[in-house]
């Protein structure tokens, strides 16, 4: 086709050249060969020109084609809408992004009607113009479903066609779908509108709820205070320096401010604790109000000082109510000072503080000596007045930071800061005693009243404040409460008593559990070596087999009422066992039991013994009751009376451990005893000590003269036994003859002694 056009042009050019030369020949009459040569040259030149022009045109067309192809590729590779126009605003091509956005196919868009649908109907031309004029203006195109799509366009000339008579060109419009951006923008506007409203509401509610805000940023040195807080505190500035802020705290609450500052430096990152603290601050009305500050510390990263911020609430009214309630719950009616509950509360708080900062305190417990007598003799009203005055003295003597309370009855307690002076409690207590004497003397008809005290140091031990107060009260209990004792807590004494208490409850359990058993030790007739009796000796055999001797638990039992039960058990069991052996056919012998002062003085011994004998069926003559010399001498008249009654039952009475007490032989004459038991301490040195021998034989002689039999205990050697026999001692007991034995072993011993085994 191109070649065909070129040929035509060549023929036309050749025809022009031929015509030119024909005219030239006619006009100038040029010779024919010259004309032919000229014509040939002209024809060659014309043909070359035509060929050159054709080649150039071809090249240009190809360039445009490639350019067009590149534009098309580019259009389809970009993430934006693209339209390629010709100079007459006719779509040449649209990309898929555009068709996807507006929902029309490219074929749809070639139809001008659809284009009108897409672009704003009332402003078709200006909009089109807008697209090409590079006006970065947003305008809406209408998608197929009718939805408006906000777009912005940028147009540039991308290809110029120089082949045509009039230069033609192509335009490429790149469009962006702004729907998302517009939505975000709208949302943002709505959000900021909402935010403004909610901030307004927030500020309003803050104002209504009277909550102030306090903030200190890590970078800044001052506190920011909200409008509400400014109103509450009567401050006209938005910021306040730490120094000025601290100065507004109540002097007693300044340490809370310091603690706040401390929290700021000590809070570790990741700690999201919400702290809450209460303090008094100078307020708008120039009085101290109570405030609650709920705050959070944000230590941030690598920051020395943290952000701190939170809400401040005026809690004065609630606090006043609390104070009233506290007064009702924590104030003692009679003295108007704090009561035990409050003392415990403050004490525990102080104790916890002491554990953290190691700042120790003294705990003093005071008791008015003979208060019940004062109450009885001077009247209830005077008693109350005395308590009231004592309360005042306690308050008066409190040092700064100390605390005092009436902890019950006539007991008062004080918590005193330890200044390092170990004599402080005694000095203070003595001052209190002096004041009490002075004050009480004024209204109690010059009757001087004293008080006793127990005290301890918080650091003396104890896991909580209750234990510490217990220590002080324990010390006070060590006094007899009559003459102004001042006793410091002694851990060792307390532990001993506590161990005794523990042993006591263990012992009670042992008795119920059958862990207490009787062993029997033989008593021998020194003249013929026959078995005349046995002493029942108690043993505590624990479930693990450990045997505990009586001197380790009898004193504990004696200090409680437990001994009464133990003694009843021993009495009953010894009688029962003895009767059993007699019933088995063993020759009847005496069983001795030991009684303590508690049994002897506090119970009706006669009835108890009578009961045991009746219940077991043992004849009274086979029971011997051993009483110690010191027991008998405690209240000799009562002892004689009791002993007589026991004796009347037909029971024997022995004086145990003779020689360990007053050892006065004159008592022997008045006490209705049948047997005198010489203590082991006399027997031990009999062989080597002349004086012991003389004492022993003198005692035996005197006893004999009073018709009292004698028995020696603790005989361990044959030498001791012989000396005693020579001295006229009737009976003997000791390891030499036989140790205390359990029932089965003693039965074997009995069988051996009487030459027959009744069981065999
Ligand atoms: P006691 O009544 O003077 O008992 C004699 C103690 O001397 C027994 O100690 C006995 O084992 C020990 N003894 C006997 N012969 C010898 C000896 O040759 N050498 C040595 N070194 N010791 C000897 P035990 O059984 O430990 O009893 C100690 C004390 O406990 C008794 O002294 C008695 O006062 C008390 N006791 C024992 N059983 C009872 C009981 O059932 N009730 C009460 N209230 N007290 C008891
Ligand atoms: Mg005894
Ligand atoms: Mg004895």
């Amino acid at each position: 086709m191109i070649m065909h056009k070129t040929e035509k042009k060549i023929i036309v050019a050749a025809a022009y050249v031929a015509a030119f030369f024909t005219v030239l020949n006619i006009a100038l009459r040029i010779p024919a060969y010259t004309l032919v040569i000229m014509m040939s040259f002209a024809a060659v030149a014309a043909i070359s020109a035509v060929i050159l022009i054709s080649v150039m045109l071809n090249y240009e067309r190809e360039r445009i084609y490639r350019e067009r192809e590149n534009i098309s590729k580019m259009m389809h590779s970009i993430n934006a809408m693209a339209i390629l126009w010709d100079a007459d605003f006719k779509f040449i091509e649209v990309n898929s992004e555009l068709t996807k956005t507006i929902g029309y196919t490219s074929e749809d868009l070639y139809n001008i009607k659809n284009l009108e649908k897409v672009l704003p109907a009332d402003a078709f031309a200006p909009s089109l113009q807008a697209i090409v004029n590079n006006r970065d203006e947003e305008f809406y195109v209408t998608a197929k479903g009718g939805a408006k799509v906000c777009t912005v366009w940028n147009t540039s000339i991308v290809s110029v066609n120089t082949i045509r008579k009039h230069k033609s060109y192509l335009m490429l419009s790149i469009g962006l779908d702004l729907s998302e951006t517009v939505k975000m923008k709208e949302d943002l506007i709505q959000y900021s509108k909402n935010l403004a409203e909610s901030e307004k509401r927030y500020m309003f509610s803050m104002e209504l709820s009277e909550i102030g805000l306090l903030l200190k940023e890590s970078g800044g040195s001052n506190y920011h205070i909200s409008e509400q807080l400014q109103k509450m505190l009567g401050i006209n500035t938005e910021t306040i320096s730490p120094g000025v802020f601290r100065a507004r705290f109540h002097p007693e609450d300044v340490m809370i401010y310091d603690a706040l500052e401390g929290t700021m430096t000590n809070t570790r990152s990741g700690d999201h604790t919400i702290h809450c603290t209460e303090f008094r601050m100078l307020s708008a009305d120039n009085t101290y109000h109570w405030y609650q500050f709920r705050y959070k510390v944000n230590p941030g990263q690598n920051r020395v000082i943290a952000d701190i911020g939170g809400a401040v609430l005026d809690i004065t009214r609630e606090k006043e109510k609390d104070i009233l309630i506290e007064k009702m719950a924590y104030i003692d009616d009679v003295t108007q000072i704090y009561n035990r509950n409050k003392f415990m509360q403050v004490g525990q708080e102080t104790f916890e503080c002491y554990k953290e900062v190691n700042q120790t305190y003294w705990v003093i417990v005071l008791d008015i000596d003979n208060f019940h007598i004062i109450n009885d003799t001077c009247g209830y009203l005077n008693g109350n007045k005395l308590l009231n005055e004592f309360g005042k003295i306690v308050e008066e003597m409190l040092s700064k930071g100390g605390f005092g309370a009436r902890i019950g009855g006539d007991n008062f307690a004080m918590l005193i800061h330890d200044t390092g002076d170990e004599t402080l409690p005694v000095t203070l207590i003595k001052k209190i005693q002096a004041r009490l004497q002075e004050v009480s003397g004024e209204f109690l008809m010059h009757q001087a009243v004293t008080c006793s005290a127990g005290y301890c140091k918080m650091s003396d031990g104890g896991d909580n404040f209750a234990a510490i107060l217990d220590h002080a009260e324990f010390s006070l209990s060590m006094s007899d409460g009559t003459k102004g004792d001042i006793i410091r807590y002694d851990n060792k004494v307390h532990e001993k008593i506590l161990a005794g208490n523990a042993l006591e409850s263990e012992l009670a359990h042992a008795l119920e559990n059958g862990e207490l058993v009787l062993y029997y030790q033989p008593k021998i007739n020194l003249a013929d070596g026959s078995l005349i009796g046995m002493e029942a000796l108690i043993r505590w055999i624990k479930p693990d087999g450990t045997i505990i001797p009586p001197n380790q638990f009898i004193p504990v039992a004696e200090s409680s009422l437990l001994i009464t039960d133990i003694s009843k058990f021993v009495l009953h069991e010894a009688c029962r066992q003895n009767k059993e052996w007699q019933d088995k056919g063993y020759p009847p012998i005496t069983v001795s039991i030991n009684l303590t002062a508690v049994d002897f003085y506090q119970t009706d011994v006669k009835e108890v013994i009578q009961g045991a004998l009746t219940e077991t069926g043992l004849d009274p003559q086979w029971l011997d009751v051993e009483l110690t010399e010191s027991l008998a001498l405690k209240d000799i008249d009562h002892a004689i009376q009791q002993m007589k009654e026991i004796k009347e039952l037909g029971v024997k009475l022995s004086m145990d451990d003779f020689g360990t007490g007053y050892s006065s032989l004159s008592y022997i004459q008045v006490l209705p005893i049948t047997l005198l038991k010489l203590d082991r301490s006399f027997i031990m040195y009999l062989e080597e000590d002349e004086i012991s021998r003389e004492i022993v034989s003198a005692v035996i002689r005197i006893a004999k003269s009073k018709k009292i039999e004698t028995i020696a205990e603790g005989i361990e050697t044959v030498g001791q036994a012989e000396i005693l026999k020579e001295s006229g001692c009737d009976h003997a007991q000791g390891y030499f003859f036989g140790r205390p034995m359990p029932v089965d072993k003693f039965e074997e011993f009995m069988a051996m002694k009487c030459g027959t085994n009744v069981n065999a």
Side-chain angles (χ1 to χ4, degrees):
M1 181 77 177
I2 294 165
M3 285 309 291
H4 178 69
K5 271 187 177 174
T6 312
E7 276 163 14
K8 264 182 170 174
K9 283 175 186 167
I10 292 170
I11 291 162
V12 171
Y16 274 118
V17 169
F20 171 73
F21 279 105
T22 308
V23 173
L24 197 73
N25 186 28
I26 294 163
L28 297 177
R29 296 255 170 219
I30 298 165
Y33 68 92
T34 310
L35 191 68
V36 169
I37 290 167
M38 281 174 70
M39 278 174 70
S40 303
F41 270 112
V44 169
I47 290 162
S48 302
V50 167
I51 291 169
L52 190 67
I53 288 164
S54 293
V55 169
M56 281 172 67
L57 281 175
N58 255 353
Y59 175 78
E60 181 63 7
R61 273 191 203 99
E62 249 178 61
R63 183 188 66 78
I64 291 168
Y65 177 76
R66 275 199 307 276
E67 210 170 61
R68 176 72 182 74
E69 220 173 32
N70 283 342
I71 291 169
S72 182
K73 264 191 207 158
M74 187 270 282
M75 280 173 73
H76 289 283
S77 65
I78 57 170
N79 249 351
M81 297 178 288
I83 312 171
L84 189 66
W85 318 84
D86 66 8
D88 301 325
F89 294 119
K90 265 184 75 183
F91 287 110
I92 293 173
E93 195 178 351
V94 293
N95 70 353
S96 56
E97 195 66 30
L98 179 87
T99 54
K100 205 167 76 192
T101 310
I102 60 175
Y104 289 100
T105 63
S106 47
E107 284 73 32
D108 290 341
L109 291 173
Y110 284 122
N111 179 344
I112 190 73
K113 294 268 182 238
N114 282 334
L115 187 65
E116 282 171 3
K117 271 189 212 160
V118 171
L119 296 170
D122 55 339
F124 176 66
S127 298
L128 212 55
Q129 211 58 45
I131 292 176
V132 295
N133 280 357
N134 284 351
R135 284 160 53 198
D136 265 341
E137 182 183 287
E138 290 168 12
F139 69 95
Y140 289 86
V141 293
T142 313
K144 200 172 180 182
K148 299 284 181 199
V149 182
C150 181
T151 57
V152 66
W153 294 88
N154 198 321
T155 303
S156 43
I157 293 174
V158 286
S159 177
V160 178
N161 190 346
T162 50
I163 302 171
R164 293 193 177 183
K165 260 185 257 158
H166 307 292
K167 268 190 190 171
S168 72
Y169 50 86
L170 295 178
M171 293 175 290
L172 180 66
S173 296
I174 304 287
L176 289 174
D177 177 358
L178 295 183
S179 315
E180 278 299 306
T181 323
V182 169
K183 175 101 182 36
M184 273 169 69
K185 202 167 140 190
E186 281 168 5
D187 286 353
L188 215 62
I189 292 167
Q190 190 56 40
Y191 177 73
S192 53
K193 237 173 157 180
N194 291 348
L195 197 69
E197 270 170 28
S198 96
E199 197 174 334
K200 217 168 109 191
R201 278 201 298 272
Y202 176 68
M203 292 311 287
F204 186 52
S205 54
M206 281 287 176
E207 203 181 317
L208 287 181
S209 60
E210 299 180 340
I211 295 174
L213 298 177
L214 182 72
L215 174 79
K216 189 173 167 202
E217 287 160 324
S218 60
S221 53
N222 289 342
Y223 283 93
H224 292 270
I225 44 180
S226 72
E227 224 177 291
Q228 183 56 30
L229 188 56
Q230 291 171 40
K231 268 190 216 163
M232 285 150 77
L233 301 180
I235 296 172
N236 296 324
T237 52
E238 275 180 23
T239 57
I240 184 168
S241 75
V244 177
F245 190 47
R246 188 179 189 271
R248 295 189 76 91
F249 275 69
H250 189 283
E252 283 175 22
D253 297 344
V254 167
M255 59 192 193
I256 297 177
Y257 173 85
D258 296 339
L260 259 176
E261 292 267 316
T263 323
M264 283 163 73
T265 33
N266 295 335
T267 306
R268 304 255 168 276
S269 58
D271 182 349
H272 303 295
T273 316
I274 293 181
H275 304 269
C276 187
T277 185
E278 291 176 1
F279 47 79
R280 281 159 291 178
M281 252 209 301
L282 202 61
S283 302
D285 61 2
N286 219 23
T287 65
Y288 284 103
H289 282 216
W290 274 100
Y291 292 99
Q292 186 188 66
F293 181 37
R294 283 176 69 80
Y295 67 98
K296 219 179 139 181
V297 175
N298 175 20
Q301 280 190 345
N302 308 324
R303 285 176 181 175
V304 185
I305 310 257
D307 292 321
I308 183 168
V312 184
L313 194 66
D314 189 326
I315 53 162
T316 312
R317 254 176 280 160
E318 287 76 5
K319 222 40 195 188
E320 277 165 0
K321 270 187 229 153
D322 285 354
I323 289 167
L324 196 74
I325 293 168
E326 183 175 287
K327 194 168 181 273
M328 283 154 73
Y330 292 133
I331 301 289
D332 171 55
D333 267 356
V334 179
T335 58
Q336 291 303 307
I337 68 168
Y338 286 111
N339 62 14
R340 189 182 184 97
N341 289 346
K342 186 66 184 176
F343 191 75
M344 294 306 293
Q345 193 195 58
V346 172
Q348 186 58 32
E349 282 163 12
T350 312
F351 177 74
E352 270 150 30
C353 197
Y354 141 72
K355 277 199 299 184
E356 268 182 28
V357 295
N358 210 20
Q359 179 60 72
T360 189
Y361 283 77
W362 293 103
V363 180
I364 302 172
V365 179
L366 302 144
D367 175 89
I368 302 176
D369 292 334
N370 297 320
F371 181 70
H372 62 285
I373 299 174
I374 298 164
N375 233 357
D376 291 347
T377 54
C378 304
Y380 185 73
L381 284 180
N382 276 326
N384 272 6
K385 190 163 185 223
L386 182 64
L387 290 173
N388 196 286
E389 291 297 333
F390 199 85
K392 281 187 203 156
I393 296 171
V394 164
E395 293 260 276
E396 190 183 298
M397 297 288 173
L398 284 175
S399 55
K400 202 175 160 222
F403 192 80
R406 179 187 173 209
I407 57 167
D410 59 338
N411 285 174
F412 291 78
M414 294 168 90
L415 201 58
I416 305 290
H417 187 235
D418 174 27
T419 54
D421 174 8
E422 291 290 302
T423 62
L424 179 86
V426 176
T427 317
L428 183 75
I429 295 163
K430 282 188 175 161
K431 269 193 206 166
I432 293 174
Q433 288 174 334
R435 271 299 279 142
L436 180 66
Q437 289 209 355
E438 196 183 314
V439 172
S440 59
E442 282 167 17
F443 72 96
L444 290 177
M445 292 162 288
H446 303 287
Q447 184 177 332
V449 176
T450 58
C451 69
S452 299
Y455 68 98
C456 70
K457 207 191 261 190
M458 217 168 239
S459 51
D460 284 348
D463 294 338
N464 49 39
F465 184 70
I468 289 158
L469 181 63
D470 195 40
H471 292 169
E473 288 187 310
F474 169 77
S475 312
L476 179 64
S477 73
M478 293 284 103
S479 125
D480 67 2
T482 55
K483 48 188 185 308
D485 292 329
I486 301 175
I487 303 168
R488 182 171 179 171
Y489 174 69
D490 186 335
N491 198 23
K492 286 194 192 104
V493 176
H494 198 186
E495 269 171 16
K496 210 172 149 191
I497 289 179
L498 288 182
N501 291 347
L503 189 71
E504 191 183 309
S505 58
E506 219 188 320
L507 188 58
H509 187 248
L511 181 64
E512 282 169 20
N513 238 17
E515 290 171 29
L516 299 183
V517 294
L518 294 184
Y519 273 36
Y520 296 91
Q521 189 178 27
K523 289 184 175 182
I524 303 294
N525 183 346
L526 269 177
D528 60 8
S530 64
L531 180 67
I532 50 116
M534 56 192 161
E535 182 174 4
L537 295 160
I538 199 164
R539 298 288 179 269
W540 178 359
I541 305 178
K542 291 202 167 180
D544 64 359
T546 328
I547 300 178
I548 301 175
N551 44 19
Q552 278 184 29
F553 62 88
I554 291 291
V556 173
E558 262 184 296
S559 62
S560 70
L561 288 178
L562 216 56
I563 191 66
T564 322
D565 294 335
I566 292 178
S567 297
K568 278 182 189 159
F569 158 75
V570 173
L571 173 68
H572 196 277
E573 181 55 19
C575 292
R576 190 204 60 75
Q577 186 60 65
N578 200 13
K579 178 77 168 89
E580 187 185 306
W581 278 326
Q582 287 177 10
D583 290 348
K584 271 187 172 178
Y586 289 106
I589 55 172
T590 311
V591 68
S592 307
I593 59 142
N594 295 277
L595 284 190
T596 67
V598 181
D599 302 311
F600 199 66
Y601 288 100
Q602 289 191 355
T603 57
D604 192 346
V605 210
K606 185 187 161 187
E607 275 171 23
V608 173
I609 295 172
Q610 177 64 73
L613 291 170
T614 315
E615 274 173 46
T616 58
L618 183 74
D619 194 296
Q621 64 168 312
W622 304 117
L623 177 66
D624 170 43
V625 174
E626 292 189 9
L627 303 163
T628 60
E629 184 188 4
S630 50
L631 181 153
L633 297 182
K634 243 185 162 184
D635 181 350
I636 189 115
D637 295 334
H638 183 77
I640 292 171
Q641 182 56 36
Q642 289 276 62
M643 286 163 107
K644 273 185 181 158
E645 284 184 16
I646 294 169
K647 220 176 162 191
E648 275 166 15
L649 294 172
V651 170
K652 288 176 184 145
L653 274 174
S654 299
M655 168 130 303
D656 200 358
D657 301 344
F658 185 80
T660 53
Y662 290 95
S663 302
S664 171
L665 283 166
S666 55
Y667 288 120
I668 301 173
Q669 300 173 29
V670 289
L671 293 175
I673 50 165
T674 42
L675 191 85
L676 192 74
K677 259 187 121 173
L678 287 164
D679 192 64
R680 183 172 157 258
S681 53
F682 285 113
I683 314 304
M684 270 160 76
Y685 307 106
L686 266 188
E687 287 168 285
E688 55 268 30
D689 184 18
E690 175 71 35
I691 299 173
S692 287
R693 277 202 296 272
E694 279 176 13
I695 293 173
V696 167
S697 53
V699 171
I700 294 168
R701 228 179 312 118
I702 295 169
K704 265 198 174 6
S705 70
K706 304 287 168 202
K707 304 260 181 309
I708 295 169
E709 284 185 317
T710 48
I711 180 168
E713 63 180 331
I715 297 161
E716 293 182 354
T717 65
V718 63
Q720 291 167 347
E722 273 165 7
I723 295 169
L724 286 163
K725 193 176 169 184
E726 278 164 22
S727 308
C729 185
D730 302 305
H731 311 301
Q733 182 183 346
Y735 292 171
F736 176 69
F737 302 103
R739 287 185 173 248
M741 292 168 255
V743 171
D744 52 344
K745 287 277 176 295
F746 191 80
E747 196 170 332
E748 281 172 20
F749 182 87
M750 270 201 304
M752 187 264 292
K753 268 287 175 193
C754 65
T756 166
N757 186 346
V758 290
N759 288 328

